[in-house]
């Protein structure tokens, strides 16, 4: 390989096509990713709530939906939404970009639903019982009490879903909707420069995903630190003249517990 010619072609593609094609493709990729993740989260939330429904028939259909979406290739789903569904639902007038966005949203919803379900179930059941005892309905409890706490737990995972969807949008280039990989195909067809253009597109994807992954990692670490509790003293008892446990500094025996035990013993003697 002639590296001088290789790097010369890289510079040529970058200087001649960055603002004309690659920048436009980057904007389309980000738009498609944002739409797919946002709609996927909304739909996934509904699916997650339905999966926890008390009616078995509803849970059955929701489980079928999740397993079908997660068990089939995303490219197959894209073909179905772009070519098959428009012929079935002829009254729905959507652009090819919109159909691709819908397909990616549906795919994302199946994965997000499981994330949200686990986040909801991670919230202590006592929260639900307390809310219901205060007179809140099931919907109000879920909307005002459970979901806000669940979102805090699942935000890092949703960040990872955004990164995954950012890369999966490259499959949309099959339908020439103007994303980064579509622009690669256009540049390759115009210049016959393939490998160099792929390198530039790959660097663009890396420049997008690497900072996002670091940001998600930092946020996940911060959430973990916020949710961690300080080391608590051992469960203390005072029997036979021995105290198990320490005070807040971990140095001296728990004198408060000792005094409480002595007071209870004194009251027990008075009752006798």
């Amino acid at each position: 390989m002639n590296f001088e010619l290789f790097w010369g072609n890289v510079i040529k593609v970058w200087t001649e096509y960055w603002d004309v094609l690659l920048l436009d493709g980057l904007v389309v990729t980000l738009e498609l990713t944002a739409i797919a993740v946002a709609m996927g989260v909304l739909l996934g939330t509904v699916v997650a709530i339905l999966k926890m429904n008390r009616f078995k028939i509803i849970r059955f259909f929701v489980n079928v939906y999740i397993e079908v979406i997660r068990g089939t290739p995303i490219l197959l789903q894209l073909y179905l939404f772009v070519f098959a569904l428009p012929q079935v639902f002829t009254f729905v007038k959507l652009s090819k970009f919109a159909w691709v966005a819908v397909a990616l949203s549906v795919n994302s919803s199946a994965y997000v639903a499981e994330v949200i379900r686990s986040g909801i179930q991670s919230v202590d059941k006592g929260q639900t019982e307390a809310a219901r005892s205060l007179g809140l309905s099931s919907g109000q409890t879920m909307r005002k009490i459970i979901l806000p706490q669940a979102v805090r737990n699942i935000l890092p995972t949703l960040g990872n879903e955004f990164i995954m969807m950012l890369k999966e949008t490259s499959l949309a280039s099959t339908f020439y909707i103007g994303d980064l990989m579509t622009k690669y195909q256009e540049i390759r067809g115009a210049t016959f420069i393939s490998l160099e253009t792929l390198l530039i597109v790959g660097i663009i994807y890396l420049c997008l995903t690497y900072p996002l992954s670091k940001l998600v990692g930092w946020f996940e670490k911060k959430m973990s630190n916020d949710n961690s509790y300080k080391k608590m003293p051992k469960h203390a008892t005072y029997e036979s003249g021995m105290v198990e446990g320490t005070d807040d500094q971990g140095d001296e025996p728990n004198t408060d517990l000792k005094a409480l035990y002595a007071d209870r013993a004194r009251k027990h003697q008075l009752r006798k």
Side-chain angles (χ1 to χ4, degrees):
M1 177 183 292
N2 189 337
F3 283 99
E4 293 182 0
L5 183 62
F6 178 85
W7 293 113
N9 288 335
V10 169
I11 296 173
K12 176 183 177 181
V13 171
W14 179 264
T15 54
E16 294 184 7
Y17 293 97
W18 162 248
D19 55 346
V20 178
L21 294 176
L22 292 176
L23 183 59
D24 293 339
L26 176 60
V27 172
V28 172
T29 296
L30 292 176
E31 289 178 348
L32 185 60
T33 304
I35 294 172
V37 173
M39 297 301 295
V41 169
L42 293 176
L43 182 58
T45 302
V46 175
V47 173
I49 293 175
L50 290 177
K51 186 172 182 179
M52 295 183 292
N53 195 283
R54 65 177 182 273
F55 297 107
K56 291 184 179 180
I57 186 65
I58 295 179
R59 296 202 305 268
F60 171 77
F61 283 111
V62 170
N63 285 327
V64 170
Y65 169 82
I66 292 176
E67 293 303 324
V68 168
I69 297 299
R70 297 179 64 174
T72 54
I74 185 173
L75 186 58
L76 175 63
Q77 297 168 22
L78 286 168
Y79 275 113
L80 178 66
F81 275 83
V82 174
F83 295 130
L85 292 187
Q87 298 181 15
V88 176
F89 302 102
T90 55
F91 56 91
V92 179
K93 304 299 181 181
L94 295 178
S95 64
K96 190 179 295 185
F97 176 89
W99 279 114
V100 170
V102 170
L104 293 176
S105 300
V106 170
N107 179 270
S108 178
S109 69
Y111 293 91
V112 171
E114 290 297 294
V115 174
I116 294 177
R117 179 189 60 80
S118 62
I120 292 174
Q121 292 180 340
S122 68
V123 178
D124 193 285
K125 292 183 178 180
Q127 301 279 345
T128 302
E129 296 172 357
R132 297 305 300 274
S133 67
L134 293 174
L136 296 179
S137 65
S138 299
Q140 290 174 328
T141 300
M142 180 62 67
R143 187 174 65 255
K144 297 181 179 181
I145 305 298
I146 305 302
L147 283 180
Q149 297 182 68
V151 167
R152 179 181 175 87
N153 297 331
I154 65 177
L155 275 179
T157 308
L158 292 181
N160 289 325
E161 175 65 18
F162 184 88
I163 295 173
M164 292 297 298
M165 186 56 62
L166 179 62
K167 294 182 290 186
E168 289 176 352
T169 55
S170 61
L171 295 173
S173 63
T174 307
F175 311 100
Y176 296 94
I177 63 169
D179 64 309
L180 270 175
M181 291 301 295
T182 301
K183 298 303 181 182
Y184 152 73
Q185 296 175 17
E186 293 179 6
I187 295 173
R188 183 190 61 182
T191 63
F192 298 99
I193 300 175
S194 177
L195 185 59
E196 295 86 341
T197 309
L198 271 179
L199 176 64
I200 293 175
V201 172
I203 291 174
I204 294 174
Y205 274 110
L206 184 62
C207 290
L208 291 173
T209 58
Y210 183 76
L212 286 174
S213 63
K214 290 299 181 182
L215 179 62
V216 170
W218 172 83
F219 188 74
E220 187 173 3
K221 184 178 180 181
K222 187 176 185 301
M223 296 290 292
S224 177
N225 292 336
D226 290 344
N227 291 333
S228 63
Y229 297 96
K230 295 181 180 180
K231 185 178 180 181
M232 299 295 292
K234 294 181 180 179
H235 178 70
T237 59
Y238 183 77
E239 291 182 354
S240 304
M242 179 177 293
V243 176
E244 295 178 5
T246 59
D247 61 4
D248 293 338
Q249 287 73 32
D251 296 326
E252 299 295 334
N254 194 328
T255 54
D256 292 336
L257 181 63
K258 184 177 180 179
L260 177 61
Y261 183 86
D263 183 63
R264 289 181 178 176
R266 185 166 53 254
K267 290 180 179 180
H268 182 68
Q269 291 294 332
L270 291 175
R271 290 194 187 100
K272 291 182 177 181

